[in-house]
Structure formats: C-alpha cells, structure tokens
Amino acid sequence: MLAFVTVGTTSFNDLIREVCSDQCLKALKKRGFKKLLLQIGRGTFIPDTTSKILDVEYYKYKNKIIEDINKADLVISHAGAGTSLEVLTAKKHLLVVVNDNLMNNHQLELADQLQKEGFCYYTNCQNLAEYLSTINLSDLKPYIPGNPELFISFLDEVTGIKSLST
C-alpha cells in the first residue's frame, strides 16, 4: 500500500519532517503501508530515504500529481483547497494536516468543514502520529462533486447572458 504526502507549491517542512519520523512511519507500517511517497515543494527538509521501516521516496514538483494521488491508498496533504478537492474527487482517503504557523488560517476552516461533512480527517503536525494510529478510514464518506454546469447556467441567467444567446 502507498501513502502519498503532498504540500503543493508551498514549503511545509514541519509536515514532511513529522511524517518521516519513526513514530509516523511505524504507524503507517502497522496499517499495512509499504511505501511513503512525498512531494515536498519548496521545502528545505530532505527526507531520509534509507528508512528500514518503509520505502521512502520524494520529489519537489511535478506538473500534475494526479497520477500519484490515483496510486495512493491514503493521501496526507496540506489544507490547500485545490489539492483537497482533487484528492476527494479522485475518491481517495484524505488526512489533511493544517499548518499552525499560517496567520489567518483559512485552511483550518476548510479542513474543519470537510471533516464535519465526513469527507476527510484533519489534524496538525503534533498529532499526526496519533491520528495515523487511530483513525478509521472506512468511516469516511465518498465525496460527490457538484455539477458545474448548473452553476454556469445560473450565472448565465443572473447576468442575462442566456437570454441574449437564445
């Protein structure tokens, strides 16, 4: 099984450092994971790829990470809206890790709402190992994306575009 960690285009050294800790690696192994793949973005913390606990690989960026998301059994992610929705739309289990160092942390609001809806779990770096040991991924509900055509149609009506083209 594969756990994929992504921080997007940001730097989130605390998440990468914590998920690579022996405690987190052991929690993942206990859940049956064999490999940890990390997308570290602009981070300066370089993961140790010689772990005896799990096979660990990393890279900084790829044009598209959807291939890695699709291969993953669990995605551990920063709380970026785009990344969260991409993972949920791919119907993957998601554990969001909120960056407590951000000011005016809108990511916390998003993560909290997604958890309230039952689509993901969220935590912070300090509690990551505990969450990896205790969460029940089968309790998560599948995310069903909205219909963007309905929204576009609504906007067309409100702005009068639809009446002009008919």
Side-chain angles (χ1 to χ4, degrees):
M1 289 186 9
L2 171 68
F4 175 56
V5 179
T6 178
V7 301
T9 59
T10 66
S11 173
F12 195 176
N13 287 321
D14 290 345
L15 171 55
I16 300 301
R17 185 178 293 110
E18 186 59 31
V19 79
C20 290
S21 71
D22 282 355
Q23 191 176 11
C24 283
L25 293 175
K26 287 176 183 175
L28 286 167
K29 183 175 182 166
K30 189 173 182 179
R31 294 186 82 95
F33 288 91
K34 306 281 186 223
K35 183 175 182 177
L36 178 63
L37 178 61
L38 306 141
Q39 181 269 318
I40 66 171
R42 291 184 290 135
T44 56
F45 177 78
I46 303 300
D48 179 6
T49 58
T50 63
S51 170
K52 302 286 188 241
I53 302 169
L54 290 180
D55 178 21
V56 177
E57 293 181 18
Y58 75 93
Y59 60 89
K60 287 194 173 275
Y61 299 106
K62 281 185 181 177
N63 287 337
K64 294 183 179 181
I65 61 169
I66 191 64
E67 185 177 304
D68 294 325
I69 291 170
N70 285 332
K71 289 179 186 174
D73 299 287
L74 170 65
V75 177
I76 302 168
S77 175
H78 70 120
T83 302
S84 296
L85 290 176
E86 190 171 24
V87 172
L88 293 174
T89 300
K91 301 191 181 334
K92 296 298 176 172
H93 293 128
L94 176 62
L95 175 57
V96 172
V97 180
V98 175
N99 188 343
D100 292 329
N101 296 322
L102 294 178
M103 297 200 36
N104 300 323
N105 197 346
H106 66 279
Q107 292 185 353
L108 176 59
E109 295 170 17
L110 173 65
D112 185 52
Q113 187 61 42
L114 289 173
Q115 180 170 290
K116 283 179 183 173
E117 297 287 332
F119 299 129
C120 75
Y121 291 106
Y122 84 90
T123 187
N124 56 24
C125 289
Q126 295 79 11
N127 296 317
L128 181 57
E130 178 185 344
Y131 264 71
L132 289 172
S133 297
T134 60
I135 58 173
N136 185 351
L137 296 173
S138 64
D139 286 344
L140 294 176
K141 296 189 312 191
Y143 173 77
I144 300 168
N147 184 342
E149 287 80 24
L150 291 175
F151 182 66
I152 292 168
S153 177
F154 169 75
L155 284 180
D156 287 348
E157 276 187 43
V158 170
T159 60
I161 293 173
K162 190 171 191 173
S163 62
L164 293 175
S165 62
T166 55

